[in-house]
PDB file of all heavy atoms in Angstrom:
ATOM      1  N   LEU A   1       4.593  -8.066   0.141  1.00 82.00           N
ATOM      2  CA  LEU A   1       4.381  -6.621   0.119  1.00 82.00           C
ATOM      3  C   LEU A   1       4.717  -6.064   1.493  1.00 82.00           C
ATOM      4  O   LEU A   1       3.997  -6.298   2.466  1.00 82.00           O
ATOM      5  CB  LEU A   1       2.933  -6.297  -0.259  1.00 82.00           C
ATOM      6  CG  LEU A   1       2.498  -6.811  -1.638  1.00 82.00           C
ATOM      7  CD1 LEU A   1       1.022  -6.557  -1.860  1.00 82.00           C
ATOM      8  CD2 LEU A   1       3.320  -6.154  -2.737  1.00 82.00           C
ATOM      9  N   ALA A   2       5.818  -5.345   1.576  1.00 78.00           N
ATOM     10  CA  ALA A   2       6.279  -4.836   2.873  1.00 78.00           C
ATOM     11  C   ALA A   2       6.787  -3.409   2.720  1.00 78.00           C
ATOM     12  O   ALA A   2       7.980  -3.133   2.880  1.00 78.00           O
ATOM     13  CB  ALA A   2       7.376  -5.740   3.428  1.00 78.00           C
ATOM     14  N   PRO A   3       5.890  -2.460   2.399  1.00 73.00           N
ATOM     15  CA  PRO A   3       6.354  -1.075   2.246  1.00 73.00           C
ATOM     16  C   PRO A   3       6.836  -0.509   3.572  1.00 73.00           C
ATOM     17  O   PRO A   3       6.329  -0.865   4.628  1.00 73.00           O
ATOM     18  CB  PRO A   3       5.091  -0.343   1.753  1.00 73.00           C
ATOM     19  CG  PRO A   3       3.961  -1.155   2.292  1.00 73.00           C
ATOM     20  CD  PRO A   3       4.434  -2.584   2.241  1.00 73.00           C
ATOM     21  N   ARG A   4       7.825   0.359   3.498  1.00 71.00           N
ATOM     22  CA  ARG A   4       8.316   1.024   4.707  1.00 71.00           C
ATOM     23  C   ARG A   4       7.402   2.210   5.004  1.00 71.00           C
ATOM     24  O   ARG A   4       7.509   3.269   4.387  1.00 71.00           O
ATOM     25  CB  ARG A   4       9.762   1.483   4.493  1.00 71.00           C
ATOM     26  CG  ARG A   4      10.726   0.323   4.249  1.00 71.00           C
ATOM     27  CD  ARG A   4      12.168   0.827   4.152  1.00 71.00           C
ATOM     28  NE  ARG A   4      13.096  -0.279   3.985  1.00 71.00           N
ATOM     29  CZ  ARG A   4      13.546  -0.694   2.808  1.00 71.00           C
ATOM     30  NH1 ARG A   4      13.132  -0.114   1.700  1.00 71.00           N
ATOM     31  NH2 ARG A   4      14.395  -1.700   2.724  1.00 71.00           N
ATOM     32  N   LEU A   5       6.498   2.034   5.940  1.00 62.00           N
ATOM     33  CA  LEU A   5       5.518   3.071   6.244  1.00 62.00           C
ATOM     34  C   LEU A   5       6.149   4.181   7.061  1.00 62.00           C
ATOM     35  O   LEU A   5       6.927   3.912   7.979  1.00 62.00           O
ATOM     36  CB  LEU A   5       4.332   2.476   7.016  1.00 62.00           C
ATOM     37  CG  LEU A   5       3.648   1.264   6.379  1.00 62.00           C
ATOM     38  CD1 LEU A   5       2.452   0.850   7.221  1.00 62.00           C
ATOM     39  CD2 LEU A   5       3.217   1.570   4.969  1.00 62.00           C
ATOM     40  N   PRO A   6       5.825   5.450   6.762  1.00 57.00           N
ATOM     41  CA  PRO A   6       6.360   6.551   7.562  1.00 57.00           C
ATOM     42  C   PRO A   6       5.718   6.568   8.939  1.00 57.00           C
ATOM     43  O   PRO A   6       4.636   6.007   9.136  1.00 57.00           O
ATOM     44  CB  PRO A   6       5.961   7.792   6.748  1.00 57.00           C
ATOM     45  CG  PRO A   6       4.771   7.371   5.977  1.00 57.00           C
ATOM     46  CD  PRO A   6       4.985   5.910   5.651  1.00 57.00           C
ATOM     47  N   PRO A   7       6.348   7.218   9.927  1.00 54.00           N
ATOM     48  CA  PRO A   7       5.790   7.253  11.287  1.00 54.00           C
ATOM     49  C   PRO A   7       4.386   7.837  11.342  1.00 54.00           C
ATOM     50  O   PRO A   7       3.577   7.452  12.174  1.00 54.00           O
ATOM     51  CB  PRO A   7       6.785   8.134  12.045  1.00 54.00           C
ATOM     52  CG  PRO A   7       8.052   8.026  11.270  1.00 54.00           C
ATOM     53  CD  PRO A   7       7.646   7.873   9.837  1.00 54.00           C
ATOM     54  N   THR A   8       4.060   8.761  10.423  1.00 46.00           N
ATOM     55  CA  THR A   8       2.750   9.404  10.453  1.00 46.00           C
ATOM     56  C   THR A   8       1.633   8.473  10.032  1.00 46.00           C
ATOM     57  O   THR A   8       0.465   8.827  10.098  1.00 46.00           O
ATOM     58  CB  THR A   8       2.730  10.628   9.517  1.00 46.00           C
ATOM     59  OG1 THR A   8       3.175  10.221   8.223  1.00 46.00           O
ATOM     60  CG2 THR A   8       3.666  11.709  10.031  1.00 46.00           C
ATOM     61  N   SER A   9       1.980   7.258   9.582  1.00 43.00           N
ATOM     62  CA  SER A   9       0.938   6.329   9.143  1.00 43.00           C
ATOM     63  C   SER A   9       0.294   5.592  10.308  1.00 43.00           C
ATOM     64  O   SER A   9      -0.664   4.851  10.119  1.00 43.00           O
ATOM     65  CB  SER A   9       1.528   5.310   8.166  1.00 43.00           C
ATOM     66  OG  SER A   9       2.430   4.458   8.829  1.00 43.00           O
ATOM     67  N   THR A  10       0.811   5.756  11.515  1.00 45.00           N
ATOM     68  CA  THR A  10       0.204   5.090  12.658  1.00 45.00           C
ATOM     69  C   THR A  10      -1.168   5.666  12.924  1.00 45.00           C
ATOM     70  O   THR A  10      -1.433   6.834  12.670  1.00 45.00           O
ATOM     71  CB  THR A  10       1.083   5.261  13.906  1.00 45.00           C
ATOM     72  OG1 THR A  10       1.318   6.648  14.114  1.00 45.00           O
ATOM     73  CG2 THR A  10       2.415   4.543  13.726  1.00 45.00           C
ATOM     74  N   ALA A  11      -2.060   4.845  13.438  1.00 46.00           N
ATOM     75  CA  ALA A  11      -3.446   5.272  13.622  1.00 46.00           C
ATOM     76  C   ALA A  11      -3.553   6.351  14.688  1.00 46.00           C
ATOM     77  O   ALA A  11      -2.840   6.357  15.682  1.00 46.00           O
ATOM     78  CB  ALA A  11      -4.299   4.079  14.025  1.00 46.00           C
ATOM     79  N   VAL A  12      -4.446   7.290  14.442  1.00 44.00           N
ATOM     80  CA  VAL A  12      -4.741   8.299  15.443  1.00 44.00           C
ATOM     81  C   VAL A  12      -5.473   7.636  16.600  1.00 44.00           C
ATOM     82  O   VAL A  12      -6.316   6.762  16.397  1.00 44.00           O
ATOM     83  CB  VAL A  12      -5.618   9.419  14.819  1.00 44.00           C
ATOM     84  CG1 VAL A  12      -5.962  10.465  15.880  1.00 44.00           C
ATOM     85  CG2 VAL A  12      -4.902  10.063  13.648  1.00 44.00           C
ATOM     86  N   LYS A  13      -5.138   8.033  17.820  1.00 45.00           N
ATOM     87  CA  LYS A  13      -5.727   7.408  18.994  1.00 45.00           C
ATOM     88  C   LYS A  13      -7.251   7.475  18.915  1.00 45.00           C
ATOM     89  O   LYS A  13      -7.832   8.531  18.712  1.00 45.00           O
ATOM     90  CB  LYS A  13      -5.238   8.107  20.267  1.00 45.00           C
ATOM     91  CG  LYS A  13      -5.699   7.425  21.548  1.00 45.00           C
ATOM     92  CD  LYS A  13      -5.121   8.110  22.777  1.00 45.00           C
ATOM     93  CE  LYS A  13      -5.571   7.400  24.054  1.00 45.00           C
ATOM     94  NZ  LYS A  13      -5.015   8.057  25.261  1.00 45.00           N
ATOM     95  N   GLY A  14      -7.882   6.333  19.055  1.00 47.00           N
ATOM     96  CA  GLY A  14      -9.336   6.269  19.007  1.00 47.00           C
ATOM     97  C   GLY A  14      -9.896   6.174  17.604  1.00 47.00           C
ATOM     98  O   GLY A  14     -11.092   5.999  17.420  1.00 47.00           O
ATOM     99  N   GLY A  15      -9.030   6.282  16.562  1.00 51.00           N
ATOM    100  CA  GLY A  15      -9.516   6.216  15.193  1.00 51.00           C
ATOM    101  C   GLY A  15      -9.237   4.862  14.576  1.00 51.00           C
ATOM    102  O   GLY A  15      -8.691   3.955  15.206  1.00 51.00           O
ATOM    103  N   SER A  16      -9.614   4.706  13.315  1.00 54.00           N
ATOM    104  CA  SER A  16      -9.398   3.448  12.604  1.00 54.00           C
ATOM    105  C   SER A  16      -7.949   3.374  12.125  1.00 54.00           C
ATOM    106  O   SER A  16      -7.362   4.387  11.746  1.00 54.00           O
ATOM    107  CB  SER A  16     -10.338   3.345  11.403  1.00 54.00           C
ATOM    108  OG  SER A  16     -11.686   3.409  11.821  1.00 54.00           O
ATOM    109  N   PRO A  17      -7.343   2.191  12.132  1.00 54.00           N
ATOM    110  CA  PRO A  17      -5.972   2.066  11.627  1.00 54.00           C
ATOM    111  C   PRO A  17      -5.942   2.343  10.135  1.00 54.00           C
ATOM    112  O   PRO A  17      -6.895   2.041   9.410  1.00 54.00           O
ATOM    113  CB  PRO A  17      -5.621   0.612  11.938  1.00 54.00           C
ATOM    114  CG  PRO A  17      -6.932  -0.093  12.049  1.00 54.00           C
ATOM    115  CD  PRO A  17      -7.886   0.913  12.605  1.00 54.00           C
ATOM    116  N   PRO A  18      -4.862   2.950   9.630  1.00 68.00           N
ATOM    117  CA  PRO A  18      -4.784   3.289   8.210  1.00 68.00           C
ATOM    118  C   PRO A  18      -4.615   2.046   7.349  1.00 68.00           C
ATOM    119  O   PRO A  18      -4.012   1.059   7.773  1.00 68.00           O
ATOM    120  CB  PRO A  18      -3.552   4.186   8.128  1.00 68.00           C
ATOM    121  CG  PRO A  18      -2.683   3.712   9.256  1.00 68.00           C
ATOM    122  CD  PRO A  18      -3.622   3.296  10.347  1.00 68.00           C
ATOM    123  N   HIS A  19      -5.145   2.097   6.146  1.00 74.00           N
ATOM    124  CA  HIS A  19      -4.957   1.015   5.197  1.00 74.00           C
ATOM    125  C   HIS A  19      -3.750   1.324   4.307  1.00 74.00           C
ATOM    126  O   HIS A  19      -3.353   2.472   4.143  1.00 74.00           O
ATOM    127  CB  HIS A  19      -6.199   0.848   4.311  1.00 74.00           C
ATOM    128  CG  HIS A  19      -7.335   0.149   4.981  1.00 74.00           C
ATOM    129  ND1 HIS A  19      -8.121   0.748   5.945  1.00 74.00           N
ATOM    130  CD2 HIS A  19      -7.831  -1.108   4.829  1.00 74.00           C
ATOM    131  CE1 HIS A  19      -9.049  -0.105   6.357  1.00 74.00           C
ATOM    132  NE2 HIS A  19      -8.893  -1.240   5.695  1.00 74.00           N
ATOM    133  N   VAL A  20      -3.201   0.289   3.734  1.00 79.00           N
ATOM    134  CA  VAL A  20      -2.186   0.422   2.690  1.00 79.00           C
ATOM    135  C   VAL A  20      -2.834  -0.053   1.399  1.00 79.00           C
ATOM    136  O   VAL A  20      -3.588  -1.027   1.402  1.00 79.00           O
ATOM    137  CB  VAL A  20      -0.938  -0.415   3.005  1.00 79.00           C
ATOM    138  CG1 VAL A  20       0.115  -0.226   1.919  1.00 79.00           C
ATOM    139  CG2 VAL A  20      -0.374  -0.041   4.365  1.00 79.00           C
ATOM    140  N   THR A  21      -2.564   0.650   0.313  1.00 80.00           N
ATOM    141  CA  THR A  21      -3.163   0.303  -0.970  1.00 80.00           C
ATOM    142  C   THR A  21      -2.073   0.017  -1.992  1.00 80.00           C
ATOM    143  O   THR A  21      -1.064   0.719  -2.040  1.00 80.00           O
ATOM    144  CB  THR A  21      -4.059   1.449  -1.482  1.00 80.00           C
ATOM    145  OG1 THR A  21      -5.154   1.618  -0.585  1.00 80.00           O
ATOM    146  CG2 THR A  21      -4.594   1.148  -2.869  1.00 80.00           C
ATOM    147  N   ALA A  22      -2.267  -1.010  -2.771  1.00 85.00           N
ATOM    148  CA  ALA A  22      -1.345  -1.335  -3.868  1.00 85.00           C
ATOM    149  C   ALA A  22      -2.113  -1.321  -5.177  1.00 85.00           C
ATOM    150  O   ALA A  22      -3.282  -1.735  -5.225  1.00 85.00           O
ATOM    151  CB  ALA A  22      -0.707  -2.704  -3.652  1.00 85.00           C
ATOM    152  N   CYS A  23      -1.470  -0.831  -6.223  1.00 87.00           N
ATOM    153  CA  CYS A  23      -2.032  -0.874  -7.571  1.00 87.00           C
ATOM    154  C   CYS A  23      -1.035  -1.589  -8.481  1.00 87.00           C
ATOM    155  O   CYS A  23       0.177  -1.341  -8.409  1.00 87.00           O
ATOM    156  CB  CYS A  23      -2.308   0.528  -8.095  1.00 87.00           C
ATOM    157  SG  CYS A  23      -3.667   1.387  -7.252  1.00 87.00           S
ATOM    158  N   ILE A  24      -1.561  -2.492  -9.294  1.00 91.00           N
ATOM    159  CA  ILE A  24      -0.759  -3.288 -10.217  1.00 91.00           C
ATOM    160  C   ILE A  24      -1.229  -3.002 -11.639  1.00 91.00           C
ATOM    161  O   ILE A  24      -2.428  -3.050 -11.921  1.00 91.00           O
ATOM    162  CB  ILE A  24      -0.917  -4.803  -9.937  1.00 91.00           C
ATOM    163  CG1 ILE A  24      -0.634  -5.119  -8.468  1.00 91.00           C
ATOM    164  CG2 ILE A  24      -0.043  -5.623 -10.868  1.00 91.00           C
ATOM    165  CD1 ILE A  24       0.785  -4.914  -8.050  1.00 91.00           C
ATOM    166  N   LYS A  25      -0.287  -2.705 -12.541  1.00 91.00           N
ATOM    167  CA  LYS A  25      -0.647  -2.466 -13.938  1.00 91.00           C
ATOM    168  C   LYS A  25       0.231  -3.317 -14.844  1.00 91.00           C
ATOM    169  O   LYS A  25       1.447  -3.105 -14.911  1.00 91.00           O
ATOM    170  CB  LYS A  25      -0.490  -0.983 -14.302  1.00 91.00           C
ATOM    171  CG  LYS A  25      -1.008  -0.648 -15.698  1.00 91.00           C
ATOM    172  CD  LYS A  25      -0.980   0.829 -15.973  1.00 91.00           C
ATOM    173  CE  LYS A  25      -1.601   1.147 -17.319  1.00 91.00           C
ATOM    174  NZ  LYS A  25      -1.582   2.610 -17.600  1.00 91.00           N
ATOM    175  N   PRO A  26      -0.352  -4.309 -15.538  1.00 93.00           N
ATOM    176  CA  PRO A  26       0.454  -5.173 -16.410  1.00 93.00           C
ATOM    177  C   PRO A  26       0.875  -4.447 -17.681  1.00 93.00           C
ATOM    178  O   PRO A  26       0.206  -3.503 -18.130  1.00 93.00           O
ATOM    179  CB  PRO A  26      -0.502  -6.322 -16.739  1.00 93.00           C
ATOM    180  CG  PRO A  26      -1.861  -5.692 -16.679  1.00 93.00           C
ATOM    181  CD  PRO A  26      -1.777  -4.661 -15.568  1.00 93.00           C
ATOM    182  N   THR A  27       1.969  -4.881 -18.256  1.00 90.00           N
ATOM    183  CA  THR A  27       2.354  -4.364 -19.565  1.00 90.00           C
ATOM    184  C   THR A  27       1.449  -4.974 -20.626  1.00 90.00           C
ATOM    185  O   THR A  27       0.772  -5.979 -20.391  1.00 90.00           O
ATOM    186  CB  THR A  27       3.814  -4.729 -19.884  1.00 90.00           C
ATOM    187  OG1 THR A  27       3.926  -6.161 -19.948  1.00 90.00           O
ATOM    188  CG2 THR A  27       4.759  -4.184 -18.824  1.00 90.00           C
ATOM    189  N   GLY A  28       1.458  -4.379 -21.798  1.00 87.00           N
ATOM    190  CA  GLY A  28       0.636  -4.904 -22.881  1.00 87.00           C
ATOM    191  C   GLY A  28       1.111  -6.253 -23.388  1.00 87.00           C
ATOM    192  O   GLY A  28       0.380  -6.937 -24.108  1.00 87.00           O
ATOM    193  N   THR A  29       2.333  -6.655 -23.009  1.00 89.00           N
ATOM    194  CA  THR A  29       2.896  -7.932 -23.476  1.00 89.00           C
ATOM    195  C   THR A  29       2.964  -8.954 -22.347  1.00 89.00           C
ATOM    196  O   THR A  29       3.759  -9.899 -22.423  1.00 89.00           O
ATOM    197  CB  THR A  29       4.297  -7.710 -24.055  1.00 89.00           C
ATOM    198  OG1 THR A  29       5.127  -7.072 -23.065  1.00 89.00           O
ATOM    199  CG2 THR A  29       4.233  -6.823 -25.287  1.00 89.00           C
ATOM    200  N   PHE A  30       2.154  -8.774 -21.292  1.00 92.00           N
ATOM    201  CA  PHE A  30       2.164  -9.702 -20.155  1.00 92.00           C
ATOM    202  C   PHE A  30       1.738 -11.087 -20.635  1.00 92.00           C
ATOM    203  O   PHE A  30       0.606 -11.292 -21.063  1.00 92.00           O
ATOM    204  CB  PHE A  30       1.207  -9.194 -19.077  1.00 92.00           C
ATOM    205  CG  PHE A  30       1.243  -9.976 -17.780  1.00 92.00           C
ATOM    206  CD1 PHE A  30       1.930  -9.492 -16.681  1.00 92.00           C
ATOM    207  CD2 PHE A  30       0.580 -11.193 -17.664  1.00 92.00           C
ATOM    208  CE1 PHE A  30       1.952 -10.192 -15.483  1.00 92.00           C
ATOM    209  CE2 PHE A  30       0.598 -11.906 -16.483  1.00 92.00           C
ATOM    210  CZ  PHE A  30       1.290 -11.408 -15.391  1.00 92.00           C
ATOM    211  N   ARG A  31       2.658 -12.056 -20.563  1.00 91.00           N
ATOM    212  CA  ARG A  31       2.382 -13.416 -21.020  1.00 91.00           C
ATOM    213  C   ARG A  31       3.124 -14.411 -20.126  1.00 91.00           C
ATOM    214  O   ARG A  31       4.123 -14.079 -19.494  1.00 91.00           O
ATOM    215  CB  ARG A  31       2.857 -13.630 -22.470  1.00 91.00           C
ATOM    216  CG  ARG A  31       2.190 -12.753 -23.519  1.00 91.00           C
ATOM    217  CD  ARG A  31       0.724 -13.080 -23.719  1.00 91.00           C
ATOM    218  NE  ARG A  31       0.170 -12.339 -24.844  1.00 91.00           N
ATOM    219  CZ  ARG A  31      -0.256 -11.080 -24.774  1.00 91.00           C
ATOM    220  NH1 ARG A  31      -0.160 -10.425 -23.625  1.00 91.00           N
ATOM    221  NH2 ARG A  31      -0.764 -10.474 -25.830  1.00 91.00           N
TER     222      ARG A  31
END
């Protein structure tokens, strides 16, 4: 998982670093 993060995703000075979130949804025929 290596999304190309935009420049605005960098942490604000003194704040917490931003998280990246992924969501996965299987098809109904996942086998």
Side-chain angles (χ1 to χ4, degrees):
L1 300 175
R4 297 184 177 95
L5 307 183
T8 53
S9 68
T10 55
V12 178
K13 186 177 181 180
S16 301
H19 283 74
V20 182
T21 296
C23 291
I24 307 293
K25 187 174 185 180
T27 63
T29 56
F30 187 101
R31 298 292 187 278

